[in-house]
Amino acid sequence: MQPLPCEFLTQMARKYQLSPEQEEAFVERFSSKESEQAIAHTLHISDNAFRTRMSGVYRKFSINGKGPGKFHKLYDFLLKEYQKSHPSPIPDVPSHDIHALVQEVRKKIKPDIQERCGKMRVLDMTHPIRLNDIYTNVTILEKITARRRLGIDELLQQCTREDFNHFGLAKITKGPIPGLEAVKKHPKLMILGKPGAGKTTFLKYLAIQCIGGKFYSHLVPIFITLKDFAEASNKPGLQEYIYQQLAGNGVETLNFASLRELINRGRMLILLDGLDEVGDEDSKRILKEIREFSDQFRDNHFVITCRIAAREYTFENFTEVEVADFDDEQIVSFATKWFKDKAVKPETFIKRVEDNQRVKELATSPLLLTLLCLAFEESGDFPANRSELYKEGLDALLKKWDAKRGIQRDQIYKKLSVQRKEDLLSKMALTTFEQGNYFFKQQIAEQYITEYIRNLPGASTDEEALQLDSERVLKSIEAQHGLLVERAKGIYSFSHLTFHEYFTAREYVVVKQSSEVALQNLVSHINDKRWREVLFLALGMSPSADNLLLLMKEKVDAILVDDEKLLQFLTWVNQKSLSVEAPFKSLTIREFYINFDSDLNFEFSLTSYLAKPGSELEHENSVDFVISSSKTKSPTIHWLSIALSIDIGKSVQPLRLLSLNAAEFELDNALISALEHAHKLASAAVPEFKVGSHLVYALNRAITSTSNHEIQRSLRRFKQQIADPDKDRGIFKTLWRANGKAWTEKLKALMIQHRNIGHDWQFSDEQKELLKQYYDANKLLVESLNSDCYVSREVRQKIEDELLLPIAEIKKCQQEIL
């Protein structure tokens, strides 16, 4: 039987919707005179696997029967179909020559493919690494993100304004498919992606897999960097350029007709990398070459990569897809491979990424994930100053990524220096962030750009020209740096919330140069959770954070200034802390009594945050309270453990009770417990004997925990006056109902007289919320002090000393200093 032409068989395979694997077996079987075993060997699959594929082929063509009869039936059908449109005889090209030719060419070009595509080196890598050692399987979105017709409201449904991140956006994208599956599914594929999304790496992986016989082993992979093709001397056509590449690898021993036969028979996997990197002067010519070549030799497989929004390219016969960002599993896979056999363990890196949502968001970009790995490998951790890490990521996107490959971009945008680009993005970031607009329409973005570029030297005064320029600038920012991304048709956002926040902070510190007005505006958001990261970043960017921290402290102190009762409460807290003799800071005592005598549960220790490992504060004053208070379950405040912190921020281990002050705290704790049980008994709505026993137990505990004889006498006299549930069981209930409220008030008076505790503050819900805002703002202030910002010792000490103090006390301290 005469073998049938590959191009005809490929057409029939597509017509009958064979899978890529079935198509591969089908074309080889009916274009060859070789045995099934020989073809299976050529395809690097088992005989059984080949037969399974062919069984599927026969089903698609509705061929029934058993044994060799099925092959002959299908061959006869195919021959008749071929002769309908090809009256001339079947070309007499021995199929075994084609198979031999494919294998001969593959063998000759294998060293070159492995050399050019088997390694990668990006950013500040000191040496290249093997692609197979680091490659992580990419996934493909079959629906281009920017072409979805969604509104801002629909986008916001997937993420709250306080928890906006790229993982939320992934929910509105149809599930991605593996990259190799997309290539098999679409013989002509245009892969779009953001800068650093892994497009080139994926194309190199395809070439390595193909030449290694693990993917499309019946094809010859041709990897072409389109920028090199465009700039090649003598401006060759694409077919000629392919021949030149093959000739440079020892394939020149084959004649021109043999090489053309490979192309004619559809035996090439043409990988065209970086369409967006072709210069303007060469663009039309290269596009024409690709269109004509892919149309003329349509039976070959084609994959082109290009940045999203680079240009409006149209290849009618190509399917456009998009590289998806990395998900959690891909991040873990990449990091595990990167840190294999290195001093830093991958588990450490992965844990640090998981603990920091902002860093994890950056890790969804393969380029930025590589940057994170490089930074972490160097020091075993991320920089304490987060703004430095983010700036390094921005530098990679704004400067290094294109510059290291010698790529020149659009002239309109090129006229903007890196600083001007950052200034423009900073203005856009602040305006949109202040409005809470994480997504904004294209026309709004272009208006921001127009207002900025109209003031540049040499800018056009024509509004229409400015509008056109602003549109080009927006597309350039997206294509060249990926810092703005079209999330749906005509709707943009910053590529990462981290960068949105970074540029917002930069506007205050760099553009507005930390002016008083700018910083006042910034600290006005101190109680807005959305602005926390912006504040941290602004502190990290500032050459000196003194002014910003002092303004934050003023703003914190002013939170309670209009509420007299809360100010009285703070005054009491301070007085109470001063009455306790302790070998550690008054801040610790103040914080304890805010927790102790308010209706709020603050699961936080300001002191522990201030005590950095190795600091003087840690060694001399690093006493951390572990309060097992659980007012949601019971109003009783349980025993307080005073724990010595070994390593603040990592572990707090209760080593021993400090006997010097444990009695004072135990006394207060016991008295509050007794008062709460007395209130319960007085209400007559509780199991009296059980609660009464707790009351007596608390009083006994208070009496034995103090060495103050006056307090002991007062408490003993009080105890003698009230009924004892164990001794007076018969009349206990009656006595408490008659006298309980009076006894409770007397106990309360004793506590206020001797210990200055037990005040009935009766905070309203609004006051509780205000007190919580005050405490959270103090927490933010303390975290800011530890954010690795540059702050003078004087300012740091002043803030630490004045934490949780009422304004009147702060002013008093300031007057004493003066």
Side-chain angles (χ1 to χ4, degrees):
M1 293 182 181
Q2 182 69 27
L4 297 168
C6 288
E7 55 268 30
F8 164 72
L9 294 171
T10 300
Q11 292 170 5
M12 294 299 292
R14 309 284 163 76
K15 181 178 178 180
Y16 283 83
Q17 299 182 339
L18 302 188
S19 71
E21 292 80 8
Q22 291 170 347
E23 177 183 328
E24 187 178 50
F26 169 72
V27 172
E28 290 292 335
R29 184 69 180 92
F30 287 94
S31 66
S32 170
K33 291 182 179 179
E34 295 184 12
S35 66
E36 289 187 352
Q37 291 82 0
I39 295 173
H41 179 74
T42 299
L43 297 179
H44 296 278
I45 60 176
S46 67
D47 295 349
N48 285 336
F50 179 80
R51 283 192 289 271
T52 299
R53 291 187 186 184
M54 288 306 300
S55 294
V57 171
Y58 294 132
R59 283 195 297 272
K60 291 285 182 69
F61 281 94
S62 300
I63 301 296
N64 300 316
K66 294 183 178 180
K70 290 195 293 184
F71 172 79
H72 293 292
K73 285 181 183 180
L74 183 51
Y75 179 84
D76 291 341
F77 169 75
L78 293 171
L79 182 60
K80 289 177 182 178
E81 289 295 307
Y82 179 79
Q83 289 173 343
K84 288 179 182 179
S85 55
H86 298 81
S88 58
I90 299 174
D92 187 17
V93 178
S95 182
H96 66 275
D97 288 347
I98 288 294
H99 292 300
L101 180 60
V102 167
Q103 297 309 315
E104 182 179 355
V105 173
R106 284 171 57 87
K107 183 178 180 180
K108 287 182 178 293
I109 69 170
K110 186 173 184 178
D112 179 66
I113 291 291
Q114 290 176 330
E115 176 63 27
R116 294 172 58 218
C117 301
K119 300 176 184 177
M120 63 174 288
R121 183 178 179 181
V122 298
L123 299 176
D124 296 326
M125 286 184 181
T126 56
H127 55 83
I129 57 178
R130 288 194 343 132
L131 185 71
N132 286 337
D133 289 343
I134 197 65
Y135 180 76
T136 299
N137 291 326
V138 303
T139 50
I140 296 295
L141 303 174
E142 295 186 278
K143 177 72 173 178
I144 306 299
T145 305
R147 295 176 190 167
R148 298 172 300 173
R149 294 188 178 275
L150 297 173
I152 291 177
D153 289 342
E154 292 174 279
L155 292 170
L156 285 173
Q157 286 175 4
Q158 307 302 320
C159 51
T160 68
R161 295 192 173 206
E162 289 186 356
D163 188 26
F164 172 87
N165 60 63
H166 196 79
F167 301 105
L169 290 172
K171 299 174 185 176
I172 52 180
T173 303
K174 185 179 178 182
I177 64 173
L180 290 180
E181 182 180 326
V183 176
K184 289 180 179 180
K185 186 176 181 181
H186 305 290
K188 291 184 175 62
L189 196 64
M190 168 76 85
I191 298 179
L192 305 174
K194 297 187 288 293
K199 301 180 296 296
T200 297
T201 304
F202 177 58
L203 220 57
K204 287 184 174 182
Y205 177 74
L206 286 178
I208 291 295
Q209 291 296 99
C210 182
I211 203 66
K214 298 179 180 178
F215 179 76
Y216 281 164
S217 58
H218 65 299
L219 301 180
V220 175
I222 304 294
F223 185 92
I224 295 175
T225 301
L226 287 172
K227 180 176 182 293
D228 294 341
F229 168 49
E231 297 173 1
S233 58
N234 302 323
K235 307 298 181 186
L238 184 53
Q239 185 175 351
E240 182 183 353
Y241 190 74
I242 290 174
Y243 291 158
Q244 289 177 4
Q245 275 206 346
L246 292 172
N249 291 286
V251 187
E252 67 274 5
T253 56
L254 301 171
N255 58 49
F256 181 86
S258 297
L259 295 178
R260 184 176 179 84
E261 189 63 31
L262 284 176
I263 300 177
N264 287 334
R265 292 293 191 96
R267 292 307 187 95
M268 287 194 171
L269 174 61
I270 311 294
L271 306 172
L272 305 173
D273 185 43
L275 186 57
D276 58 286
E277 297 174 3
V278 175
D280 291 342
E281 66 279 7
D282 296 310
S283 180
K284 288 184 179 179
R285 177 174 62 86
I286 298 304
L287 290 174
K288 182 173 180 291
E289 284 290 336
I290 295 174
R291 287 194 184 99
E292 291 181 352
F293 185 88
S294 60
D295 287 341
Q296 182 179 358
F297 305 108
R298 63 177 62 90
D299 293 328
N300 293 280
H301 288 254
F302 294 85
V303 183
I304 308 173
T305 64
C306 182
R307 287 188 183 180
I308 285 179
R311 291 189 182 93
E312 293 297 329
Y313 300 117
T314 302
F315 295 96
E316 293 182 358
N317 296 318
F318 279 71
T319 299
E320 294 185 354
V321 297
E322 180 180 345
V323 180
D325 284 350
F326 273 2
D327 59 19
D328 290 0
E329 185 178 337
Q330 289 167 306
I331 292 171
V332 169
S333 175
F334 184 95
T336 301
K337 292 178 180 179
W338 181 281
F339 291 104
K340 183 181 179 182
D341 300 326
K342 292 185 179 178
V344 177
K345 298 300 180 185
E347 296 80 12
T348 306
F349 174 84
I350 293 166
K351 177 67 165 57
R352 293 289 286 114
V353 170
E354 285 292 334
D355 290 344
N356 191 322
Q357 184 59 44
R358 297 298 194 276
V359 171
K360 185 177 180 180
E361 188 191 343
L362 295 183
T364 61
S365 161
L367 174 66
L368 296 179
L369 178 55
T370 302
L371 174 70
L372 293 174
C373 289
L374 284 167
F376 202 89
E377 183 181 347
E378 185 175 333
S379 60
D381 203 349
F382 297 122
N385 188 335
R386 292 197 286 268
S387 66
E388 294 178 359
L389 180 64
Y390 303 157
K391 186 178 188 309
E392 193 172 348
L394 288 167
D395 284 346
L397 292 171
L398 282 165
K399 295 184 278 189
K400 295 179 181 179
W401 191 226
D402 277 348
K404 287 203 171 186
R405 294 176 295 162
I407 299 170
Q408 299 296 320
R409 296 289 182 181
D410 189 282
Q411 291 300 308
I412 286 289
Y413 194 47
K414 185 188 172 189
K415 290 180 181 178
L416 294 173
S417 65
V418 171
Q419 180 178 331
R420 288 257 169 84
K421 295 172 188 177
E422 292 179 330
D423 290 349
L424 166 59
L425 290 166
S426 296
K427 289 185 181 299
M428 291 180 66
L430 176 58
T431 305
T432 53
F433 199 86
E434 282 184 325
Q435 298 169 351
N437 294 334
Y438 297 116
F439 302 102
F440 38 88
K441 292 184 177 180
Q442 180 175 341
Q443 63 190 53
I444 300 297
E446 290 174 1
Q447 287 176 13
Y448 296 145
I449 296 170
T450 298
E451 290 305 311
Y452 183 81
I453 63 177
R454 73 164 67 249
N455 297 312
L456 296 177
S460 173
T461 57
D462 181 79
E463 289 299 320
E464 186 175 345
L466 279 172
Q467 171 60 34
L468 290 174
D469 282 351
S470 67
E471 184 178 351
R472 291 178 65 187
V473 167
L474 177 61
K475 290 295 182 182
S476 296
I477 295 173
E478 181 179 10
Q480 295 177 26
H481 310 306
L483 295 175
L484 294 176
V485 176
E486 194 171 7
R487 300 296 188 185
K489 198 167 183 63
I491 298 176
Y492 279 79
S493 78
F494 279 82
S495 59
H496 301 281
L497 175 59
T498 298
F499 291 152
H500 200 164
E501 292 166 331
Y502 177 90
F503 280 117
T504 300
R506 185 183 179 279
E507 177 72 4
Y508 285 109
V509 176
V510 178
V511 180
K512 297 181 182 296
Q513 299 181 338
S514 298
S515 68
E516 185 76 12
V517 174
L519 295 186
Q520 287 282 8
N521 178 268
L522 178 57
V523 300
S524 69
H525 302 289
I526 198 167
N527 281 118
D528 189 338
K529 289 182 179 179
R530 287 196 317 115
W531 287 81
R532 288 174 59 87
E533 186 69 12
V534 176
L535 280 162
F536 284 135
L537 292 172
L539 288 163
M541 291 181 198
S542 301
S544 171
D546 283 2
N547 288 341
L548 180 53
L549 284 167
L550 289 172
L551 287 173
M552 289 173 66
K553 182 66 170 66
E554 288 181 13
K555 190 69 177 178
V556 171
D557 294 334
I559 291 175
L560 305 183
V561 72
D562 295 326
D563 194 298
E564 190 62 34
K565 181 183 284 189
L566 291 178
L567 289 177
Q568 289 175 1
F569 175 65
L570 277 192
T571 300
W572 168 80
V573 167
N574 184 52
Q575 291 172 349
K576 185 64 182 173
S577 70
L578 293 175
S579 70
V580 176
E581 294 183 4
F584 40 87
K585 274 187 173 289
S586 296
L587 168 63
T588 308
I589 314 300
R590 292 198 294 272
E591 185 181 9
F592 166 66
Y593 278 106
I594 284 181
N595 278 288
F596 192 93
D597 213 48
S598 73
D599 293 331
L600 299 173
N601 260 339
F602 299 115
E603 297 177 1
F604 186 79
S605 175
L606 299 183
T607 309
S608 68
Y609 268 75
L610 284 173
K612 290 185 177 180
S615 68
E616 180 180 346
L617 181 62
E618 180 195 22
H619 294 302
E620 294 187 5
N621 303 302
S622 58
V623 178
D624 189 24
F625 291 113
V626 180
I627 306 174
S628 58
S629 174
S630 180
K631 294 186 180 181
T632 56
K633 297 179 181 178
S634 166
T636 303
I637 297 182
H638 301 144
W639 170 234
L640 168 69
S641 294
I642 303 176
L644 191 63
S645 298
I646 297 300
D647 190 356
I648 297 299
K650 294 181 180 178
S651 64
V652 178
Q653 302 176 14
L655 300 181
R656 60 186 176 87
L657 293 178
L658 300 180
S659 58
L660 177 64
N661 294 287
E664 288 193 59
F665 292 116
E666 167 64 2
L667 173 60
D668 287 347
N669 188 50
L671 289 173
I672 287 289
S673 177
L675 182 61
E676 288 173 344
H677 283 96
H679 274 297
K680 277 188 175 183
L681 285 165
S683 71
V686 293
E688 286 86 354
F689 292 106
K690 182 177 180 181
V691 179
S693 296
H694 282 297
L695 167 63
V696 173
Y697 171 77
L699 286 173
N700 287 332
R701 199 177 72 195
I703 292 169
T704 57
S705 65
T706 180
S707 58
N708 187 306
H709 298 300
E710 183 180 354
I711 297 176
Q712 285 182 336
R713 284 194 299 270
S714 295
L715 290 176
R716 284 196 178 101
R717 283 197 298 269
F718 173 76
K719 182 185 172 187
Q720 291 169 357
Q721 295 173 15
I722 67 174
D724 188 318
D726 295 322
K727 296 178 180 178
D728 307 309
R729 191 177 184 88
I731 59 173
F732 178 77
K733 187 173 183 179
T734 303
L735 289 173
W736 261 104
R737 289 189 174 179
N739 305 301
K741 289 185 179 180
W743 287 339
T744 300
E745 288 302 314
K746 185 170 184 179
L747 174 60
K748 180 178 176 182
L750 286 173
M751 291 166 57
I752 293 173
Q753 174 188 350
H754 293 293
R755 294 298 300 164
N756 191 22
I757 58 172
H759 303 277
D760 189 5
W761 297 107
Q762 293 186 334
F763 294 134
S764 66
D765 290 341
E766 291 78 10
Q767 287 172 321
K768 290 177 184 178
E769 177 59 30
L770 203 59
L771 189 58
K772 184 177 186 306
Q773 288 181 17
Y774 174 74
Y775 195 85
D776 287 344
N778 273 285
K779 174 183 174 181
L780 175 64
L781 187 57
V782 171
E783 289 177 334
S784 298
L785 284 174
N786 277 350
S787 65
D788 202 46
C789 60
Y790 185 85
V791 54
S792 66
R793 287 188 177 183
E794 294 78 13
V795 168
R796 180 182 292 275
Q797 192 63 52
K798 172 181 169 60
I799 291 174
E800 289 180 9
D801 291 343
E802 296 177 0
L803 283 169
L804 302 181
L805 281 180
I807 288 182
E809 191 64 29
I810 293 173
K811 290 180 178 179
K812 179 182 175 182
C813 293
Q814 291 172 347
Q815 290 173 354
E816 289 176 356
I817 294 173
L818 295 175

